[in-house]
Amino acid sequence: MKGNDPLPPLSWDARRIQLQGFMTGLHQIEWLLVTLIVLYLAIIGAPDERSHWLLITTVLYFGFSLIASRLQFFGSRHRWLLAIHTWVMIGFITWFLHSTQGVSGPLTSLYLLAVVTSALTLGVLATMLEVMVIGACVWLLFELGGQSITASANLSLVCINLIAFLIVGYLTSALVDGIQVSNRMLLEMASRDPLTGLFNRRAFNDLVKPIHAMAKRSRRPYSIVVIDMDGLKDINDTQGHGAGDHIITALAQQLRDHTRSSDLLARHGGDEFVIMLPDTDARGAVKMLHRLISEPGGQASPISIGVASYPEHGDSFESLFAHADQAMYASKASGGNRIHVHGTPQAA
């Protein structure tokens, strides 16, 4: 797999994983909003003519939030549902303010909960748009309350609140972006071999699972190739580990040059490499590998290669890898620098 290829989203979509993590915080924010409103109604009270409507609206909003948390229908492919969620929150807060003290009361800051929710999940542009909508809602509340927003005191109040909302939204979005960058760096460190830059064993074992499942559903072949360097120990003993590392990185580069962007290449450990070749049977794998070992100038070091293919040599990835590993050792036992396919009497 080339270095600039995206990681398969089923296993490594950091944005989706992070979004799922934020979902717990989102529902906690909503429940905090409901709790604050219930406390306000219990302590301060509500106008008699609207108390029933406030109670009904609060119960409906809490039910909406509870159903959303149980269904877990949010994700990177359904971001518009997240947007609807924040719009509902803004509408609920606006209705509550209109039914109580309007924007002159202390609960105008409840809009901050909607701003933070949007900043955590939707990004800076959507958050700035929602701040503008909140500004329009504040203007509407002034109009419904029979006050003029252009009065100096009211205008100052609105400007201060909107500036605070913008700052909180921007800083929260920036923090989320920083978390995404950090997560990506940690992901690279956890999934890449530091010497060669290839995937490591853990990442390879995770990434092959959806590929194997897809091949099993469609009954399409794929091949597992295990490659082990011949004589690396002698090089380390006679020339030093620096020379051995140089040969390992040179072989890794040659393997990159001979694999397709759809292939999955990893350093499995030490001087052993493994390749998954989707939509490739044993014959196609051997043809590609012959080009590798017969390249003018030769590869960085003599290598022993074992091949096993699905479904011919096994029905699970674990059995295929074991068979390819056995075939690699058969190549090594035959003198090395050759290809052996599982189940064949001699090296290919």
Side-chain angles (χ1 to χ4, degrees):
M1 180 173 285
K2 307 303 182 186
N4 58 354
D5 284 342
L7 298 173
L10 290 178
S11 296
W12 295 105
D13 189 345
R15 175 69 177 174
R16 179 180 61 84
I17 294 172
Q18 179 174 296
L19 200 59
Q20 290 176 343
F22 282 148
M23 285 305 100
T24 300
L26 185 152
H27 298 304
Q28 289 175 347
I29 290 173
E30 292 178 318
W31 296 339
L32 174 61
L33 171 61
V34 172
T35 301
L36 290 174
I37 288 177
V38 170
L39 287 175
Y40 178 89
L41 294 176
I43 297 173
I44 305 298
D48 293 336
E49 66 276 10
R50 293 180 178 174
S51 58
H52 295 308
W53 284 111
L54 277 173
L55 181 61
I56 292 173
T57 306
T58 302
V59 170
L60 289 175
Y61 179 77
F62 181 75
F64 167 77
S65 176
L66 190 62
I67 292 173
S69 66
R70 291 293 181 265
L71 293 179
Q72 297 181 344
F73 54 45
F74 297 131
S76 57
R77 298 181 181 179
H78 302 91
R79 292 171 62 82
W80 60 274
L81 291 172
L82 280 168
I84 291 176
H85 216 64
T86 56
W87 291 112
V88 171
M89 182 183 293
I90 292 173
F92 174 61
I93 294 171
T94 302
W95 165 254
F96 173 76
L97 294 176
H98 172 62
S99 301
T100 54
Q101 298 179 8
V103 292
S104 59
L107 294 183
T108 306
S109 57
L110 288 176
Y111 281 122
L112 277 174
L113 297 178
V115 172
V116 170
T117 300
S118 177
L120 285 175
T121 55
L122 298 175
V124 63
L125 292 179
T127 302
M128 297 302 103
L129 176 61
E130 293 205 353
V131 170
M132 295 174 60
V133 173
I134 290 172
C137 291
V138 171
W139 173 82
L140 178 62
L141 288 170
F142 273 113
E143 292 294 323
L144 293 176
Q147 303 180 56
S148 174
I149 196 174
T150 57
S152 59
N154 293 339
L155 189 60
S156 299
L157 177 64
V158 171
C159 290
I160 291 173
N161 284 331
L162 291 182
I163 290 173
F165 295 160
L166 286 170
I167 292 174
V168 170
Y170 178 79
L171 292 179
T172 305
S173 297
L175 177 61
V176 171
D177 289 340
I179 292 173
Q180 291 177 14
V181 172
S182 298
N183 286 345
R184 186 67 189 186
M185 293 175 62
L186 291 172
L187 176 60
E188 288 292 320
M189 293 172 62
S191 62
R192 296 283 178 175
D193 170 56
L195 178 62
T196 63
L198 301 178
F199 287 119
N200 57 24
R201 176 187 297 189
R202 177 180 179 180
F204 181 84
N205 290 340
D206 285 344
L207 294 172
V208 296
K209 293 176 182 177
I211 302 176
H212 171 77
M214 186 177 299
K216 199 167 185 177
R217 286 195 298 269
S218 60
R219 302 302 296 177
R220 298 184 66 85
Y222 71 83
S223 293
I224 297 295
V225 179
V226 176
I227 300 172
D228 192 84
M229 302 177 68
D230 299 325
L232 180 63
K233 184 178 184 301
D234 294 336
I235 294 173
N236 287 332
D237 292 342
T238 58
Q239 302 180 41
H241 288 278
D245 289 346
H246 176 74
I247 292 176
I248 289 175
T249 55
L251 177 58
Q253 184 57 52
Q254 286 186 317
L255 293 176
R256 284 193 188 96
D257 294 339
H258 284 81
T259 51
R260 306 162 299 183
S261 61
S262 58
D263 299 334
L264 189 61
L265 170 63
R267 184 186 179 193
H268 211 248
D271 58 349
E272 185 174 276
F273 296 83
V274 61
I275 311 173
M276 172 182 258
L277 304 173
D279 295 318
T280 306
D281 57 15
R283 179 178 299 180
V286 169
K287 184 177 180 181
M288 182 276 284
L289 294 167
H290 269 307
R291 291 197 298 268
L292 171 66
I293 64 176
S294 63
E295 183 182 49
Q299 63 274 4
S301 172
I303 53 178
S304 296
I305 304 175
V307 178
S309 297
Y310 172 84
E312 180 180 359
H313 301 133
D315 193 52
S316 68
F317 164 74
E318 290 76 13
S319 63
L320 290 170
F321 179 83
H323 291 156
D325 198 46
Q326 294 168 6
M328 180 273 294
Y329 280 110
S331 296
K332 195 175 287 289
S334 301
N337 199 34
R338 64 192 65 202
I339 306 165
H340 195 98
V341 178
H342 174 71
T344 58
Q346 58 184 4

